[in-house]
Amino acid sequence: MSVIAVIGAQWGDEGKGKIVDLLSEQARVVVRYQGGTNAGHTIVNDLGTFKMRLIPSGIFNPKAICVIGNGVVVDPGALLVEMDELEQRGISCARLLISERAHVLMPYHVLLDQLEEQQRSEGGVGVGTTKRGIGPAYQDKAARIGIRVGDLVREEALLTRLSFVLNHKNQILTRLYNAKPLSLHQVYLQMVDYGHRLRKHILDTQLVLYRAMDEHHNILLEGAQGALLDLDFGTYPYVTSSSPTAAGACLGSGIPPSALDNVVGVYKAYCTRVGDGPFPTEIEGEAADYLRSQGGEGHQEYGTITGRPRRVGWFDAVAARYAARLNGIGGIVITRLDALDTLPILKICTGYRVNDAVIQHIPSDISVLQQVEPIYEEMPGWQTPTTAARSLADLPEAARAYVKRLSALIVARIDMISVGPARDQTIVLDRPFDSLPNIVGKYVGAVGEHNWGE
Ligand code: GDP
Ligand code: IMO
Ligand code: MG
């Protein structure tokens, strides 16, 4: 048995969905542990192409139980749409469980996200959120005025709680934002309806996880967003409102930290970022448009859900190593290597210059990160398609050298290299579920003994 967390190790959209789908073949339980419909995880497998928002990417393994953990903020309407879409395509959601401790993303959260973001933007401190209500939902959780998924099936208690909370929200909507109030009657009936429709999926999911651990099953914890968007350790305030890190995986699922056997960090072979905030290795202009257009039809660098163009840049090894340490990453997955196939020269950032000093970490002071100058090393491109590679030996020498260099700079070993969106477009070097147990906390800096072909 192993418990493995798969986390995004950059600013999100690293290809976590593809990797979780692949690893789910070996998992008995797959848990989404934080975030909400701000996530968009694309999966391409034998059953088709899917864009997941709340449902764990393990749903395609008919033997896996999929859990929406307590750390997720659940928009019930969006979840029901996602479930219907899957069912219509022949994928059963009967094995989907939702933690009764997860918080409900309410209609006022979406309104407030839009209004708050507009106000922040006018004040010059916009974050560029997805406007899906994520920040306001987590605010209410922390303020202890959230509605939890379990409340949806306790109708009397729901009415009492909602009467108070909606009155409070309506005062903010009308007095602060001059917006229309929401009707208690309508919101309540809608929530009761959601409760009826989701009832059979709602339970105390921790008990399911403990049983799976007692019975020695493999458990996969699926992160959304990425380490650099973490509320505490990301590029604050340009972050999301949850903890996408390995620590968040425990908190958002109920798995004790001592039970985590490995943390797999998913990195793109370069960097992207959606929304505002510092991005030291960002490329702009024609070169950026070119990189953004790579990855194949339907897999170019545009937001999975919002359609926003993603900002693109060179691989940032300073940020990558920071994420590896923060999360105790024991295995790396490099994705979208194929997106670099046509470039003649590749750059990797190995340090940040600030005034006369060189720093090797992400400074907490955002104004410093905004002015750092990346120090680059250059490597030759391979200018050969890699999408058909299935082993290290199939990769051009320059591609092998590039990936090996990333591994050395991140100081962790490579488990997999992804060369296309489809499940089988993957070079598997080490299957995380078959690796040594309990390496978390024993961050030894080993880069592994793969045959790099030298
Ligand atoms: P996630 O949010 O981390 O799951 O990532 P997204 O799905 O938002 O964005 C990753 C995009 O890259 C999606 O379109 C994936 O289908 C695609 N993708 C994943 N791995 C690869 C890869 O190795 N090569 C290419 N070309 N596309 C990939
Ligand atoms: P996946 O799981 C990339 C970004 C938003 C914004 C910031 C805060 O697909 O990798 P929020 O709506 O969360 O309050 O927005 O976080 N962001 C993401 N960027 N991938 C994501 O998810 C993201 N989820 C949020 O663009 O900058
Ligand atoms: Mg995404």
Coordinates of all heavy atoms in Angstrom, one line a residue, residues 27-84:
A27 N -4.6 2.9 -8.4 CA -5.1 3.4 -7.1 C -6.5 2.8 -6.8 O -7.3 2.6 -7.7 CB -5.2 4.9 -7.2
R28 N -6.8 2.6 -5.5 CA -8.1 2.1 -5.1 C -9.0 3.3 -4.8 O -10.2 3.3 -4.9 CB -7.9 1.2 -3.9 CG -9.2 0.7 -3.3 CD -9.7 -0.5 -4.2 NE -10.9 -1.1 -3.7 CZ -12.1 -0.8 -4.1 NH1 -12.3 0.1 -5.0 NH2 -13.1 -1.4 -3.5
V29 N -8.3 4.4 -4.2 CA -9.0 5.6 -3.9 C -8.3 6.8 -4.5 O -7.0 6.9 -4.4 CB -9.2 5.8 -2.4 CG1 -10.1 7.0 -2.1 CG2 -9.7 4.5 -1.7
V30 N -9.0 7.7 -5.1 CA -8.4 9.0 -5.6 C -9.1 10.2 -5.0 O -10.4 10.2 -5.0 CB -8.5 9.1 -7.1 CG1 -7.8 10.3 -7.6 CG2 -7.9 7.8 -7.8
V31 N -8.4 11.1 -4.3 CA -9.0 12.2 -3.6 C -8.6 13.5 -4.1 O -7.4 13.8 -4.3 CB -8.6 12.1 -2.1 CG1 -9.4 13.1 -1.3 CG2 -8.6 10.7 -1.5
R32 N -9.6 14.4 -4.5 CA -9.3 15.8 -4.8 C -9.3 16.5 -3.4 O -10.2 16.3 -2.7 CB -10.4 16.3 -5.7 CG -10.2 17.3 -6.8 CD -9.0 18.1 -7.1 NE -9.4 19.5 -6.9 CZ -10.2 20.2 -7.7 NH1 -10.6 19.7 -8.8 NH2 -10.5 21.4 -7.4
Y33 N -8.2 17.3 -3.1 CA -8.2 17.7 -1.7 C -8.3 19.2 -1.5 O -8.4 19.7 -0.4 CB -6.9 17.2 -1.1 CG -5.6 17.7 -1.7 CD1 -5.0 18.9 -1.5 CD2 -4.9 16.8 -2.5 CE1 -3.8 19.3 -2.0 CE2 -3.6 17.2 -3.0 CZ -3.1 18.4 -2.8 OH -1.9 18.8 -3.4
Q34 N -8.3 20.1 -2.6 CA -8.5 21.5 -2.3 C -9.0 22.2 -3.6 O -9.1 21.5 -4.7 CB -7.3 22.2 -1.8 CG -5.9 21.9 -2.4 CD -5.7 22.3 -3.8 OE1 -5.4 21.5 -4.7 NE2 -5.8 23.6 -4.0
G35 N -9.2 23.5 -3.5 CA -9.6 24.2 -4.7 C -11.1 23.9 -5.0 O -11.8 23.3 -4.3
G36 N -11.5 24.4 -6.2 CA -12.9 24.2 -6.6 C -12.9 24.2 -8.1 O -12.0 23.7 -8.8
T37 N -13.9 25.0 -8.7 CA -14.1 25.0 -10.1 C -13.1 26.0 -10.8 O -13.2 26.3 -11.9 CB -15.5 25.4 -10.5 OG1 -15.9 26.5 -9.8 CG2 -16.5 24.3 -10.3
N38 N -12.1 26.5 -10.0 CA -11.0 27.3 -10.6 C -10.1 26.3 -11.3 O -9.3 26.7 -12.2 CB -10.2 28.1 -9.5 CG -9.9 27.3 -8.3 OD1 -10.3 26.2 -8.1 ND2 -9.0 27.9 -7.5
A39 N -10.2 25.0 -11.0 CA -9.3 24.0 -11.6 C -9.9 23.6 -12.9 O -11.1 23.6 -13.1 CB -9.2 22.8 -10.7
G40 N -9.0 23.2 -13.9 CA -9.4 22.6 -15.1 C -8.4 21.6 -15.4 O -7.3 21.9 -15.7
H41 N -8.7 20.3 -15.3 CA -7.7 19.2 -15.5 C -8.1 18.5 -16.8 O -9.2 17.8 -16.8 CB -7.7 18.3 -14.3 CG -7.2 19.0 -13.0 ND1 -7.1 18.4 -11.8 CD2 -6.8 20.3 -12.8 CE1 -6.6 19.2 -10.9 NE2 -6.5 20.4 -11.5
T42 N -7.2 18.5 -17.8 CA -7.6 17.9 -19.1 C -7.0 16.5 -19.1 O -5.9 16.2 -18.7 CB -6.9 18.7 -20.2 OG1 -7.2 20.1 -20.0 CG2 -7.5 18.3 -21.6
I43 N -7.9 15.6 -19.6 CA -7.5 14.2 -19.6 C -7.8 13.6 -21.0 O -8.9 13.9 -21.6 CB -8.3 13.4 -18.6 CG1 -7.8 13.7 -17.2 CG2 -8.2 11.9 -18.8 CD1 -8.8 13.5 -16.1
V44 N -6.8 13.0 -21.6 CA -7.0 12.3 -22.9 C -6.7 10.8 -22.7 O -5.5 10.5 -22.5 CB -6.1 13.0 -24.0 CG1 -6.4 12.3 -25.4 CG2 -6.3 14.5 -24.1
N45 N -7.7 10.0 -22.8 CA -7.5 8.6 -22.7 C -8.3 7.8 -23.7 O -9.0 8.4 -24.5 CB -7.7 8.1 -21.2 CG -9.1 8.4 -20.7 OD1 -10.1 8.5 -21.5 ND2 -9.2 8.5 -19.4
D46 N -8.4 6.5 -23.5 CA -9.2 5.7 -24.5 C -10.6 6.1 -24.6 O -11.3 5.8 -25.6 CB -9.1 4.2 -24.1 CG -7.7 3.6 -24.3 OD1 -6.9 4.3 -24.9 OD2 -7.5 2.5 -23.8
L47 N -11.2 6.7 -23.6 CA -12.6 7.0 -23.5 C -12.9 8.4 -24.1 O -14.0 8.8 -24.3 CB -13.1 7.0 -22.1 CG -12.9 5.6 -21.4 CD1 -13.1 5.7 -19.9 CD2 -13.8 4.6 -22.0
G48 N -11.8 9.2 -24.4 CA -12.1 10.5 -25.1 C -11.3 11.6 -24.4 O -10.3 11.3 -23.7
T49 N -11.7 12.8 -24.6 CA -11.0 14.0 -24.0 C -12.0 14.6 -23.0 O -13.2 14.8 -23.3 CB -10.7 15.0 -25.1 OG1 -9.8 14.4 -26.0 CG2 -10.0 16.3 -24.5
F50 N -11.5 14.8 -21.8 CA -12.3 15.3 -20.7 C -11.7 16.5 -20.0 O -10.5 16.5 -19.9 CB -12.6 14.2 -19.7 CG -13.2 13.0 -20.3 CD1 -12.4 12.0 -20.9 CD2 -14.6 12.8 -20.3 CE1 -12.9 10.9 -21.4 CE2 -15.1 11.7 -20.9 CZ -14.3 10.7 -21.4
K51 N -12.5 17.4 -19.5 CA -12.0 18.6 -18.8 C -12.7 18.6 -17.4 O -13.8 18.9 -17.3 CB -12.3 19.9 -19.5 CG -11.5 19.9 -20.8 CD -11.8 21.2 -21.6 CE -11.1 21.2 -23.0 NZ -9.7 21.1 -23.0
M52 N -11.9 18.1 -16.4 CA -12.5 17.9 -15.1 C -12.3 19.2 -14.2 O -11.3 19.9 -14.3 CB -11.7 16.8 -14.3 CG -11.4 15.6 -15.2 SD -12.9 14.9 -15.8 CE -13.5 14.1 -14.3
R53 N -13.3 19.5 -13.4 CA -13.2 20.7 -12.6 C -13.3 20.3 -11.1 O -12.5 20.9 -10.3 CB -14.4 21.6 -12.9 CG -14.4 22.0 -14.4 CD -15.6 22.8 -14.8 NE -15.5 24.1 -14.2 CZ -16.5 25.0 -14.3 NH1 -17.6 24.7 -14.9 NH2 -16.3 26.1 -13.7
L54 N -14.2 19.4 -10.7 CA -14.3 19.1 -9.3 C -14.1 17.6 -9.1 O -13.6 17.1 -8.1 CB -15.7 19.4 -8.8 CG -15.9 20.9 -8.5 CD1 -17.4 21.2 -8.4 CD2 -15.2 21.3 -7.2
I55 N -14.5 16.8 -10.1 CA -14.4 15.3 -10.0 C -13.0 14.8 -10.1 O -12.3 15.2 -11.1 CB -15.4 14.7 -11.0 CG1 -16.8 15.1 -10.7 CG2 -15.2 13.1 -11.0 CD1 -17.8 14.6 -11.7
P56 N -12.5 14.0 -9.2 CA -11.1 13.5 -9.3 C -10.9 12.8 -10.6 O -11.7 12.2 -11.2 CB -11.0 12.5 -8.2 CG -12.1 12.9 -7.2 CD -13.2 13.5 -8.0
S57 N -9.6 13.0 -11.1 CA -9.3 12.5 -12.4 C -9.2 11.0 -12.4 O -8.8 10.4 -13.4 CB -8.0 13.1 -12.9 OG -8.1 14.5 -12.9
G58 N -9.4 10.3 -11.3 CA -9.4 8.9 -11.2 C -10.7 8.2 -11.6 O -10.9 7.0 -11.6
I59 N -11.7 9.0 -12.0 CA -13.1 8.5 -12.2 C -13.1 7.5 -13.4 O -14.0 6.8 -13.6 CB -14.1 9.7 -12.5 CG1 -15.5 9.3 -12.3 CG2 -13.8 10.4 -13.8 CD1 -16.0 9.1 -10.9
F60 N -12.0 7.5 -14.2 CA -12.0 6.7 -15.4 C -11.6 5.3 -15.1 O -11.7 4.4 -15.9 CB -11.2 7.3 -16.5 CG -11.6 8.7 -16.8 CD1 -11.0 9.8 -16.3 CD2 -12.7 8.9 -17.7 CE1 -11.5 11.1 -16.5 CE2 -13.2 10.1 -17.9 CZ -12.6 11.2 -17.3
N61 N -11.1 5.0 -13.9 CA -10.8 3.7 -13.4 C -12.0 3.1 -12.7 O -12.4 3.6 -11.6 CB -9.6 3.7 -12.5 CG -9.3 2.3 -11.8 OD1 -10.1 1.4 -12.1 ND2 -8.3 2.2 -11.0
P62 N -12.7 2.2 -13.4 CA -14.0 1.7 -12.8 C -13.8 1.1 -11.4 O -14.8 0.9 -10.7 CB -14.5 0.7 -13.8 CG -13.4 0.4 -14.7 CD -12.3 1.5 -14.6
K63 N -12.6 0.8 -11.0 CA -12.4 0.1 -9.7 C -12.0 1.2 -8.6 O -11.9 0.8 -7.5 CB -11.2 -0.9 -9.8 CG -11.6 -2.1 -10.6 CD -10.7 -3.2 -10.4 CE -11.0 -4.4 -11.3 NZ -9.8 -4.8 -12.1
A64 N -11.8 2.4 -9.0 CA -11.4 3.4 -8.0 C -12.5 4.1 -7.4 O -13.5 4.5 -8.1 CB -10.4 4.4 -8.7
I65 N -12.5 4.3 -6.1 CA -13.4 5.2 -5.4 C -12.9 6.6 -5.5 O -11.7 6.8 -5.3 CB -13.6 4.8 -4.0 CG1 -14.2 3.4 -3.9 CG2 -14.4 5.8 -3.2 CD1 -14.1 2.7 -2.5
C66 N -13.7 7.6 -5.9 CA -13.3 8.9 -6.1 C -13.9 9.8 -5.0 O -15.1 9.8 -4.8 CB -13.6 9.5 -7.5 SG -12.6 8.7 -8.7
V67 N -13.1 10.6 -4.3 CA -13.5 11.3 -3.2 C -13.3 12.8 -3.4 O -12.1 13.2 -3.8 CB -12.8 10.9 -1.9 CG1 -13.1 11.8 -0.7 CG2 -13.1 9.4 -1.6
I68 N -14.3 13.6 -3.2 CA -14.1 15.1 -3.1 C -13.9 15.4 -1.6 O -14.8 15.3 -0.8 CB -15.3 15.8 -3.7 CG1 -15.4 15.5 -5.2 CG2 -15.1 17.3 -3.5 CD1 -16.5 16.2 -6.0
G69 N -12.7 15.8 -1.3 CA -12.3 15.9 0.1 C -12.8 17.1 0.8 O -13.4 18.0 0.2
N70 N -12.6 17.1 2.1 CA -13.1 18.2 2.9 C -12.5 19.6 2.6 O -13.0 20.6 2.8 CB -12.9 17.9 4.4 CG -11.4 17.7 4.7 OD1 -10.9 16.6 4.4 ND2 -10.7 18.6 5.2
G71 N -11.3 19.5 2.0 CA -10.6 20.8 1.7 C -11.1 21.5 0.4 O -10.7 22.6 0.1
V72 N -12.0 20.8 -0.3 CA -12.5 21.4 -1.6 C -13.7 22.3 -1.3 O -14.4 22.1 -0.3 CB -13.0 20.2 -2.5 CG1 -13.6 20.8 -3.8 CG2 -11.8 19.3 -2.8
V73 N -13.9 23.4 -2.1 CA -15.1 24.1 -2.0 C -16.0 23.7 -3.2 O -15.6 23.9 -4.4 CB -14.8 25.7 -2.0 CG1 -14.3 26.1 -0.6 CG2 -13.9 26.1 -3.1
V74 N -17.1 23.2 -2.9 CA -17.9 22.5 -3.9 C -19.1 23.4 -4.4 O -20.0 23.7 -3.6 CB -18.5 21.2 -3.3 CG1 -19.3 20.4 -4.4 CG2 -17.4 20.3 -2.8
D75 N -19.1 23.7 -5.7 CA -20.2 24.3 -6.3 C -21.1 23.2 -6.8 O -20.9 22.5 -7.8 CB -19.7 25.2 -7.5 CG -20.8 25.8 -8.3 OD1 -22.0 25.4 -8.2 OD2 -20.5 26.8 -9.0
P76 N -22.3 23.0 -6.1 CA -23.1 21.8 -6.4 C -23.7 21.8 -7.8 O -23.8 20.7 -8.4 CB -24.2 21.8 -5.3 CG -23.8 22.9 -4.4 CD -22.8 23.8 -5.0
G77 N -24.0 23.0 -8.3 CA -24.6 23.1 -9.6 C -23.6 22.6 -10.6 O -23.8 21.8 -11.5
A78 N -22.3 23.2 -10.5 CA -21.3 22.8 -11.5 C -20.9 21.3 -11.3 O -20.7 20.6 -12.3 CB -20.0 23.6 -11.2
L79 N -21.0 20.8 -10.1 CA -20.7 19.4 -9.9 C -21.7 18.5 -10.6 O -21.4 17.5 -11.3 CB -20.6 19.0 -8.4 CG -20.4 17.6 -8.1 CD1 -19.1 17.0 -8.6 CD2 -20.5 17.4 -6.5
L80 N -23.0 18.9 -10.5 CA -24.0 18.1 -11.1 C -23.9 18.1 -12.6 O -24.1 17.1 -13.3 CB -25.4 18.6 -10.7 CG -25.8 18.1 -9.2 CD1 -26.9 19.0 -8.6 CD2 -26.2 16.6 -9.2
V81 N -23.5 19.2 -13.2 CA -23.3 19.3 -14.6 C -22.2 18.4 -15.0 O -22.3 17.6 -16.0 CB -23.0 20.8 -15.1 CG1 -22.5 20.9 -16.5 CG2 -24.2 21.7 -14.9
E82 N -21.1 18.4 -14.3 CA -19.9 17.6 -14.6 C -20.3 16.1 -14.5 O -19.9 15.3 -15.3 CB -18.8 17.9 -13.6 CG -17.4 17.5 -14.1 CD -16.3 18.0 -13.1 OE1 -16.4 19.1 -12.5 OE2 -15.3 17.3 -13.0
M83 N -21.1 15.8 -13.5 CA -21.5 14.4 -13.3 C -22.4 13.9 -14.5 O -22.2 12.9 -15.1 CB -22.3 14.2 -12.0 CG -21.4 14.3 -10.8 SD -22.3 14.5 -9.2 CE -23.0 12.8 -9.1
D84 N -23.3 14.8 -14.9 CA -24.2 14.5 -16.0 C -23.4 14.3 -17.3 O -23.7 13.4 -18.0 CB -25.2 15.6 -16.2 CG -26.4 15.6 -15.2 OD1 -26.4 14.6 -14.5 OD2 -27.1 16.6 -15.2

